[in-house]
Amino acid sequence: MKTDDLNVVASVVARHLCCGCGTCVAICPTSALAMTDTPAGLLVAQMPDASLCTRCGLCLSVCPGAMLTDKHNKPFEAISNPDRGTIRASYWGWARSVDARLNAASGGVVTAIVRHLLETGSVQAALVTRWSPEDPLRHEAFVARAPGELATSQKSRYCPVALNATLCELMDCNRVAVVGLPCHLHGIEHAARLLDLPETIRLGLFCERTLSTLLIDRLKSLAGVSGRIARFDYKNKGDRGWPGDVHVQPDNAAGIFLDRNERMRLKDPYTPVRCRLCFDKFNVLADIACGDGYGAPHSDEGVSAVLVRTERGEQVIADAEETLHLEKVGPETVLEQHHPTKRRRDCLAYSVAFTELCPDAPRVLPRFYTADRDRVERSRGRRFRVTLSRAIEFETAADMDEACRIARTGERRQRIRRMPRNALKWCLGRIPWGQQLLRLVRSRSR
């Protein structure tokens, strides 16, 4: 790689660190960058016309995918626990509006808050994502300026969306709301130092990972649908209630539901490299972070986990109180079902594997996150190297057919690897002391 390439975001893409957020596109003063779909169904920054690039380095300075230097990590250095972030209050919650709650992936809290902000004029616009009206399998960033425009932005996307590429459309506003993943809010934090952004209320989503759009085609195939579809949902409560099953709606035909376990089983082979290296699963830079309310009293209509992180977030919750049903709980009660300890271990193990597989890449985790790196390297290295090398192979596929073949191979290997464990769990689950042992193992793994 040429030395001058290190001054542009191309170096991030070449090292599999681009998270597809689009911040570099918004910051580029010469419009030299654009977001491009890859054969692996991911979204990366590319330079269609290299002559437009002035090597100013702005794209790299705001890139949340890089996360390499101290200037990238400054927003996190001030947080005492970067794994979980600052938590002023935590709740189980849901929208009081029945429609908002039923149409949401979980409890509809984010939609209710954004709707309230728009209705009261507290913000002039909200930056959200939605499935494209022209193609139900395409996803796009969308600036909502009226409450009625929010219905299409509900439910989980899981696909890469260049949300921050649309930041320039918000410059005519004084105050806006942004609903985004951790990488989106990381990018906005960096961009705010260079762009005169309006005051931003940051509504963050918990993030397990972004997934390749090829997974949608795979789930369509498993549902037996080959033609055009009218609607696709990763999580739909219409069959068995929350947390929802995959729903595929063919044109002029009844919808087909796939068991949610099919989606969970297929996630690994379609996960990009950068998501495996991400330490921020709970959106620590958000004013309010929300996710699935696992561990809450079960409700088929859905429950959200809500973490209020800032003084501004507290004010937003207080103002929107009439639109929400909130039950205060302890932060650990909210977080424990999302396995934060396991996520930290996995992130560290993947970072060690990445350093070995891409030795020319700088370190990919902040300084504060690598205290027990040596222990992780000794105990968890090999399996994570295999998984990560397969993810790199998937991302560098020459065409879509090759990417699908690599993903299918990953599916088979994963199924074979899990067979002994699944058989043991099946046997233990049928005897009383075995059930107690399984519960103990699960609690220790967190």
Side-chain angles (χ1 to χ4, degrees):
M1 187 175 295
K2 297 179 182 179
T3 304
D4 59 352
D5 283 342
L6 299 178
N7 296 322
V8 296
V9 79
S11 63
V12 178
V13 176
R15 289 162 171 165
H16 312 285
L17 295 176
C18 179
C19 55
C21 69
T23 312
C24 56
V25 174
I27 202 73
C28 182
T30 61
S31 301
L33 295 169
M35 302 307 295
T36 306
D37 292 308
T38 72
L42 304 174
L43 200 61
V44 298
Q46 295 289 350
M47 193 179 297
D49 186 355
S51 64
L52 294 176
C53 180
T54 61
R55 294 295 193 271
C56 65
L58 289 178
C59 54
L60 191 60
S61 70
V62 300
C63 177
M67 203 65 68
L68 307 176
T69 64
D70 289 337
K71 68 181 178 182
H72 282 87
N73 295 325
K74 280 182 180 177
F76 306 100
E77 297 284 0
I79 300 173
S80 58
N81 189 339
D83 286 324
R84 308 181 186 202
T86 302
I87 302 176
R88 290 172 173 257
S90 52
Y91 306 92
W92 300 134
W94 54 84
R96 292 189 186 274
S97 166
V98 176
D99 290 340
R101 188 180 182 187
L102 290 178
N103 194 45
S106 47
V109 168
V110 172
T111 301
I113 292 174
V114 176
R115 181 181 293 275
H116 174 78
L117 292 171
L118 288 171
E119 287 176 344
T120 59
S122 300
V123 299
Q124 289 79 49
L127 182 55
V128 296
T129 62
R130 67 177 182 182
W131 294 110
S132 170
E134 290 77 24
D135 183 351
L137 296 186
R138 298 291 301 175
H139 38 278
E140 61 185 17
F142 172 61
V143 177
R145 298 181 184 269
E149 297 175 331
L150 294 174
T152 58
S153 69
Q154 289 194 273
K155 289 194 169 66
S156 298
R157 299 286 175 267
Y158 287 107
C159 301
V161 180
L163 184 78
N164 292 359
T166 322
L167 285 175
C168 294
E169 295 184 23
L170 302 174
M171 295 305 186
D172 61 333
C173 303
N174 296 319
R175 201 169 192 233
V176 299
V178 175
V179 181
L181 299 175
C183 52
H184 296 139
L185 299 193
H186 295 179
I188 289 174
E189 177 73 22
H190 299 322
R193 295 182 283 105
L194 302 172
L195 291 177
D196 187 19
L197 294 176
E199 182 184 355
T200 305
I201 297 174
R202 303 175 185 180
L203 302 172
L205 306 174
F206 292 3
C207 183
E208 165 62 15
R209 63 188 88 181
T210 296
L211 300 170
S212 163
T213 54
L214 297 184
L215 179 56
I216 299 176
D217 292 327
R218 180 75 173 108
L219 292 170
K220 274 180 58 183
S221 173
L222 290 175
V225 178
S226 57
R228 179 176 170 81
I229 67 171
R231 182 186 176 104
F232 177 89
D233 294 320
Y234 272 109
K235 292 182 177 180
N236 189 297
K237 305 170 189 173
D239 186 31
R240 296 189 295 167
W242 178 72
D245 296 292
V246 177
H247 179 249
V248 184
Q249 176 75 52
D251 272 346
N252 304 316
I256 300 169
F257 284 94
L258 279 177
D259 190 291
R260 65 193 66 146
N261 290 323
E262 288 293 330
R263 173 177 60 84
M264 298 299 293
R265 178 178 67 84
L266 294 174
K267 286 172 72 172
D268 242 31
Y270 295 89
T271 299
V273 172
R274 187 62 184 89
C275 285
R276 298 186 185 278
L277 305 173
C278 181
F279 68 91
D280 185 5
K281 304 300 185 183
F282 300 110
N283 227 317
V284 300
L285 295 185
D287 294 310
I288 301 170
C290 297
D292 282 302
Y294 300 130
H298 182 74
S299 169
D300 285 340
E301 289 78 21
V303 181
S304 295
V306 183
L307 301 177
V308 183
R309 299 195 177 281
T310 65
E311 184 177 346
R312 180 164 50 193
E314 289 178 324
Q315 186 60 50
V316 169
I317 287 289
D319 292 343
E321 187 175 9
E322 293 184 357
T323 68
L324 301 172
H325 176 92
L326 297 174
E327 298 178 1
K328 197 161 190 176
V329 293
E332 292 304 318
T333 303
V334 171
L335 294 176
E336 65 179 356
Q337 295 296 323
H338 293 270
H339 314 307
T341 304
K342 180 180 182 300
R343 290 185 177 198
R344 176 186 173 88
R345 290 201 305 261
D346 288 354
C347 178
L348 284 167
Y350 279 123
S351 73
V352 171
F354 182 77
T355 302
E356 296 176 357
L357 293 171
C358 302
D360 66 321
R363 57 184 173 86
V364 294
L365 282 177
R367 219 172 23 211
F368 54 73
Y369 204 72
T370 55
D372 51 355
R373 184 186 179 100
D374 291 339
R375 179 184 62 79
V376 171
E377 184 172 15
R378 288 194 303 272
S379 63
R380 296 168 67 85
R382 183 178 178 279
R383 177 168 66 86
F384 287 85
R385 282 196 298 274
V386 172
T387 302
L388 200 62
S389 62
R390 192 180 306 129
I392 292 173
E393 184 185 4
F394 174 69
E395 285 191 17
T396 54
D399 53 50
M400 188 181 298
D401 290 339
E402 183 183 357
C404 290
R405 178 189 61 77
I406 294 169
R408 294 287 184 90
T409 302
E411 290 178 33
R412 288 193 293 271
R413 288 175 177 171
Q414 186 180 37
R415 188 161 52 244
I416 292 171
R417 181 171 61 84
R418 289 183 175 180
M419 282 174 62
R421 183 177 67 182
N422 290 340
L424 179 61
K425 286 169 64 177
W426 186 89
C427 294
L428 289 176
R430 274 147 183 79
I431 50 180
W433 64 264
Q435 296 170 8
Q436 295 176 4
L437 178 62
L438 286 174
R439 283 195 291 271
L440 177 62
V441 170
R442 290 187 188 119
S443 65
R444 291 283 180 87
S445 68
R446 293 169 192 162

